[in-house]
Amino acid sequence: MVFYRSINGVCGLLIMLLLPLMVACPKTNSATPPVPPGPDLAAYDALVADNHRIEQTVREQERMLQEYEARIHRLQLQLLESDARHQAQQAQLLRQQNMLDEAVVEVVRTKAKLRSIESRAEAASSMAEAEIALKGLAERIATNDGGPPEDYLKAEALLRMSTNEFKKENYGGSLYLAGQAQNQIRAIQSHLSHQVDYALAPGEVLFAQPLLLKVLTRSNLRQGPSQRSKINRTLEEGSMIIGYSYKDDWIRVHTEDGSQGWVFQTLVGGR
């Protein structure tokens, strides 16, 4: 009995001694704490590669931009050169026209002095033919809102001069001037023979002269100036066509067999 009491006393004493130590010691977790993740090297390498590709793309686009700017500059210079050449040609044409007018007047004066043997009837007949042709032209160009073309006014002036010389009994000069008027009239008739006989679409513009063109690659001839327009037929590469007008990027053309329609402008070129 005394032995058990001793054991209990010892156990109680041990518990009292260990209890402070148990309270003072922190609780530990037996599980391993998570390790913070390290850098994703694969994602980093992919990002570096993307940046490198972007830099290469930017450099390539900058190079292309410089080439385009240089090309635009060259085209602008060519345009200026073309304008200067055109102005020089216009000035030369004006000088030549003045020289031609002076030559016509001199010929008429010379014929008046020579009293050439051209008959009065021949001069009158030539004048009458020119007058009839000129009236026919007046009816054909009556719908032109811009007034008579310069060629028509020139023919009209030549016929008027012919009439004046006829009244002066300069029949040689009258015949010569009537012939010049007829030549001018024939040139106008040739130009009008190539003009279209249909109503222009809104925004459609006639070429100053019909253009002789050929098809550069197999192309569709459409009813209207649009990709949505119905296809009339297909034109083979090398087909010969004539362009009469344009609207935006489309050209109205006639084929050799009489068909007409619209072709995209990059599909045709000069013969």
Side-chain angles (χ1 to χ4, degrees):
M1 186 70 175
V2 174
F3 175 77
Y4 286 114
R5 288 179 179 175
S6 298
I7 292 297
N8 290 334
V10 171
C11 290
L13 181 61
L14 289 174
I15 292 172
M16 291 178 65
L17 290 174
L18 293 176
L19 182 61
L21 294 176
M22 293 175 63
V23 173
C25 292
K27 295 182 180 181
T28 59
N29 190 352
S30 60
T32 304
V35 179
D40 190 342
L41 295 180
Y44 176 78
D45 291 341
L47 182 61
V48 171
D50 287 342
N51 287 339
H52 182 65
R53 284 194 296 271
I54 291 173
E55 290 175 355
Q56 285 183 328
T57 302
V58 170
R59 286 194 294 269
E60 180 65 19
Q61 290 179 345
E62 289 177 346
R63 183 189 65 79
M64 293 175 62
L65 180 60
Q66 291 176 352
E67 291 180 355
Y68 287 146
E69 289 177 346
R71 188 180 305 173
I72 290 173
H73 183 65
R74 287 194 298 271
L75 292 174
Q76 289 175 338
L77 291 177
Q78 291 175 4
L79 182 60
L80 292 175
E81 180 185 12
S82 178
D83 288 342
R85 188 184 302 115
H86 177 71
Q87 292 176 3
Q89 289 174 347
Q90 288 294 105
Q92 183 179 3
L93 287 174
L94 181 60
R95 289 193 298 270
Q96 292 176 346
Q97 184 62 50
N98 291 335
M99 292 172 62
L100 179 60
D101 292 341
E102 292 175 1
V104 168
V105 172
E106 187 61 30
V107 168
V108 173
R109 289 174 179 172
T110 301
K111 285 184 175 293
K113 292 178 182 179
L114 292 176
R115 297 293 181 182
S116 57
I117 61 174
E118 281 89 350
S119 67
R120 181 176 185 275
E122 189 177 0
S125 176
S126 183
M127 288 170 50
E129 291 177 3
E131 186 176 1
I132 293 172
L134 201 59
K135 287 182 179 178
L137 284 179
E139 294 176 357
R140 294 183 63 180
I141 65 176
T143 57
N144 188 357
D145 294 336
E150 184 177 351
D151 292 344
Y152 177 88
L153 297 177
K154 182 69 174 178
E156 195 175 42
L158 286 169
L159 183 57
R160 188 164 51 248
M161 291 170 63
S162 176
T163 302
N164 292 335
E165 293 302 318
F166 187 86
K167 292 178 179 178
K168 297 176 184 177
E169 298 184 356
N170 179 10
Y171 303 127
S174 176
L175 181 60
Y176 173 78
L177 290 167
Q180 293 296 311
Q182 288 179 349
N183 290 337
Q184 196 77 21
I185 291 169
R186 280 193 288 269
I188 301 172
Q189 289 172 336
S190 176
H191 177 73
L192 290 177
S193 66
H194 292 94
Q195 296 298 319
V196 296
D197 56 356
Y198 46 77
L200 298 180
E204 183 179 357
V205 180
L206 285 172
F207 291 121
Q209 290 287 341
L211 303 182
L212 300 179
L213 305 172
K214 68 178 179 180
V215 179
L216 300 178
T217 185
R218 201 165 186 263
S219 310
N220 292 325
L221 184 68
R222 298 182 179 273
Q223 287 186 357
S226 169
Q227 290 282 3
R228 296 186 296 273
S229 296
K230 182 180 177 180
I231 299 174
N232 289 341
R233 57 180 289 190
T234 300
L235 301 176
E236 298 298 331
E237 180 181 349
S239 299
M240 300 301 171
I241 56 179
I242 300 177
Y244 287 96
S245 57
Y246 67 92
K247 179 180 180 182
D248 298 330
D249 296 329
W250 294 82
I251 300 176
R252 190 196 288 268
V253 300
H254 285 198
T255 64
E256 291 183 321
D257 59 5
S259 300
Q260 64 172 298
W262 295 83
V263 178
F264 199 73
Q265 65 177 6
T266 59
L267 304 178
V268 299
R271 296 187 187 179

